[in-house]
Amino acid sequence: MTTLDVVNPVWTGDFAVNVTGLRCRECGETEELGASHVCSWCFGPLEVAYDEAAIGSRVTRERIAAGPRSLWRYGDLLPVLSDDPAVRVDLGTGFTPLRPAPRLAERLGLRELWLKDDTRNPSGSFKDRVVTIALSAARALGIDTIACASTGNLANSVSAHAAAAGVRAYVLIPRDLERSKILGSAVYGANVVAVDGNYDDVNRLAAEVADVEGWGFVNVNLRAFYAEGSKTIGYEIAEQLGWELPDHVVAPLASGAMYVKIRRAFQDLQRHGLIDAEIPRMSGAQATGCSPIAEAYGRDSLDIEPQRPDTIARSLAIGNPADGYYALKVARETGGAIGHVPDDEVVAGIRLLAETEGIFAETAGGVTVANLVRFVESGVIEPGERTVAVISGNGYKTVEVLSDTVGPTFEVAPSLDELRAAIAG
Ligand SMILES: *Cc1c(COP(=O)(O)O)cnc(C)c1O
Ligand SMILES: [Zn+2]
C-alpha cells in the first residue's frame, strides 16, 4: 500500500525494480546498467531499457492517483534501479499546475490554451525533474560524487538535490552566467566550478573529467536516467487533462531532450492502455541566437549544424544539441514545427505571460510564449487546437533581462498630493 502524507509529499510506498539495462538508441544493442552513455558497438547514445511486461502488470490510473503529489506518482514508469526507498532523492518535484490561460488565449486568438507551470519546482525550473531521477539512479549505482555541466538551472538543481541527499557535488558552469544562477548553486554548498568558456566548452571538459574522476555527471554519463525525468511532464499533462491529450504541445528546446521525452511519455501511456488518444502535434521553441534545431528544421534537414550561442536565453543556449536529431524527427512525425525568435521578442514574451496570466517566467518561458505567438500568427497552430505550452523556469532567476524595460510606474515623495497628481497623469 502507498502511504501519502499530505504535508510531506515524499512517497513511502512500494517500488519494484523495473529496468533491465541500457539500450543503444541507434543499433539496439543492450548493455549492463551503469554510468555509461555511449554504445560500445556503434558509439550511439544509450537509453534505459525497461521491463515493459512488469510495468504493464503494475501501472494503473488508480495506482498513479494514489501516489504523492510529486513526479514520483509515476514511479512505475520511471527508472527504478533499487527497491530500497532510501536511494530516492525527493524534494517534492513535479505535479506542477496545468493552468488554463484564458486571457493569454484571447490575446493570441486561441480557443483553449493551458500552461504547464514548471516555474514552481523546488529550485525553480523543470531541471528538478531530471535531477531527481538521475541522482536517485546514481545512488542506486553506488556513486558518491555527483556533477553536471550546466547553463545554470541544472547546476542549481544538482546543488539542491545533492545537499538534501548529503552527496558531494561539483557543478561546472560558464563563468559569465547570470548572478542569481551562480548564487543559486553556491548557497547549497556545492563546489561551483566557473569555467572560462561557453556551455559547449564546459560540456567537453565535463566529459573529460567524468572519465578520469569517476563522478556521476547527471547529463553526461548518467544521461540515460536523467532524460527519463522529462517524461513526467507528458504524464502530468495527460493526467491533469483527465487522461486526455491536447491537440498541440509547445515546448522549449536546449538539447532537445525534454521535447523528445514528452512525446515518449504520451507513447508510454498509449502502450500501457492508460490513454486512448492520438499523439499531439509537437512544436518546439528556440531563440534566434541559439537555434541550431530550428535552423535545421527550416532547411527540412535532420542534420544539425552547431552554432556559437549569443542570446539572453542562456538556459537554452546549447549550440550542439545532443538530441537535436531526435527532436527534428519528433517535429516531422507529429506534424509540428520548430521556430525561433529574437531576444526582443523573448522579453516581450516574458511580459505578455506575466501581464496576462500572472506567471513570471525566465527567458526560456519568454522563448516559448514568443514562439507560440508566431505559431498562431503563421497558422502552424490553428485557433481551434487545444494547446499546452510548457513554461519551464522561474523569472526571478533572470531579472537582468528586464531591468531596462520594467520599473516603477510612478516615483513620488511621500505626499498624498503628489501621489494623486501622479496617478491623475
Ligand atoms: C534545460 C532547460 C530546458 C530544455 O532542456 P533540454 O536540454 O532541451 O531538455 C528548457 N527550459 C529550461 C528553463 C531549462 O533549464
Ligand atoms: Zn549502438
Side-chain angles (χ1 to χ4, degrees):
M1 251 319 277
T2 299
T3 55
L4 174 59
D5 181 325
V6 289
V7 178
N8 178 1
V10 176
W11 197 10
T12 54
D14 56 331
F15 270 92
V17 174
N18 62 5
V19 294
T20 57
L22 297 170
R23 187 192 307 111
C24 177
R25 286 162 83 181
E26 288 303 317
C27 75
E29 280 292 334
T30 53
E31 310 224 349
E32 269 179 38
L33 273 186
S36 61
H37 66 302
V38 274
C39 172
S40 35
W41 298 91
C42 76
F43 301 107
L46 298 174
E47 65 182 359
V48 173
Y50 289 97
D51 182 345
E52 295 289 355
I55 292 173
S57 69
R58 288 171 70 86
V59 68
T60 60
R61 289 185 188 177
E62 292 68 30
R63 226 177 106 78
I64 291 169
R69 298 182 65 79
S70 79
L71 59 70
W72 287 105
R73 66 202 279 108
Y74 310 103
D76 289 333
L77 297 160
L78 297 167
V80 178
L81 281 69
S82 163
D83 56 12
D84 176 5
V87 303
R88 245 174 295 129
V89 187
D90 186 2
L91 295 181
T93 294
F95 213 54
T96 56
L98 182 71
R99 294 185 28 188
R103 285 168 41 80
L104 180 56
E106 195 185 337
R107 282 283 272 282
L108 298 178
L110 274 177
R111 184 174 55 79
E112 189 178 340
L113 174 66
W114 298 76
L115 302 173
K116 186 62 177 153
D117 184 5
D118 257 21
T119 67
R120 310 273 198 110
N121 278 315
S123 78
S125 85
F126 126 87
K127 288 297 193 300
D128 290 324
R129 297 179 182 272
V130 287
V131 170
T132 302
I133 304 301
L135 188 45
S136 299
R139 293 174 98 204
L141 294 170
I143 293 169
D144 63 1
T145 302
I146 201 82
C148 67
S150 173
T151 59
N153 284 327
L154 183 60
N156 295 169
S157 184
V158 165
S159 303
H161 284 84
V167 169
R168 190 170 45 229
Y170 287 88
V171 301
L172 277 59
I173 53 170
R175 199 188 56 180
D176 64 346
L177 220 52
E178 298 98 329
R179 239 175 97 72
S180 50
K181 285 188 180 161
I182 298 175
L183 295 181
S185 295
V187 70
Y188 299 110
N191 297 290
V192 177
V193 184
V195 179
D196 192 6
N198 67 19
Y199 174 75
D200 295 288
D201 300 322
V202 173
N203 206 25
R204 221 171 9 252
L205 182 60
E208 288 169 16
V209 69
D211 282 346
V212 295
E213 291 290 343
W215 296 346
F217 263 89
V218 296
N219 58 336
V220 184
N221 52 9
L222 296 170
R223 190 171 178 85
F225 308 105
Y226 162 99
E228 293 300 284
S230 292
K231 293 195 303 181
T232 57
I233 295 181
Y235 299 148
E236 291 175 20
I237 289 171
E239 186 183 1
Q240 290 169 322
L241 288 176
W243 298 109
E244 287 180 15
L245 294 183
D247 301 315
H248 212 128
V249 173
V250 179
L253 308 171
S255 73
M258 177 231 278
Y259 171 81
V260 168
K261 288 295 183 178
I262 293 174
R263 188 203 33 184
R264 175 65 65 84
F266 296 148
Q267 292 171 327
D268 285 351
L269 298 177
Q270 284 181 332
R271 178 162 10 93
H272 294 301
L274 296 168
I275 53 168
D276 175 25
E278 277 182 36
I279 301 291
R281 297 172 68 203
M282 300 274 311
S283 289
Q286 294 208 293
T288 304
C290 184
S291 51
I293 309 177
E295 192 273 334
Y297 176 84
R299 277 188 284 119
D300 203 16
S301 167
L302 294 175
D303 289 321
I304 301 285
E305 287 178 7
Q307 293 181 0
R308 180 163 275 275
D310 180 16
T311 169
I312 58 170
R314 303 296 302 270
S315 56
L316 302 180
I318 297 184
N320 191 8
D323 281 78
Y325 164 78
Y326 301 102
L328 288 161
K329 289 211 335 187
V330 169
R332 256 191 207 180
E333 288 166 13
T334 65
I338 299 177
H340 62 86
V341 292
D343 284 356
D344 59 335
E345 291 184 31
V346 175
V347 172
I350 293 173
R351 297 185 64 182
L352 177 62
L353 177 64
E355 289 171 12
T356 54
E357 295 295 343
I359 297 177
F360 183 19
E362 69 141 273
T363 46
V367 168
T368 301
V369 170
N371 273 282
L372 177 65
V373 169
R374 286 200 180 198
F375 287 146
V376 176
E377 279 170 6
S378 64
V380 166
I381 299 178
E382 288 160 28
E385 282 187 297
R386 181 191 228 190
T387 302
V388 172
V390 178
I391 307 301
S392 54
N394 196 298
Y396 288 104
K397 294 197 185 205
T398 60
V399 289
E400 295 89 341
V401 304
L402 293 174
S403 50
D404 293 340
T405 45
V406 293
T409 312
F410 306 109
E411 297 201 27
V412 297
S415 132
L416 180 58
D417 287 345
E418 243 197 65
L419 173 59
R420 297 193 71 201
I423 60 180

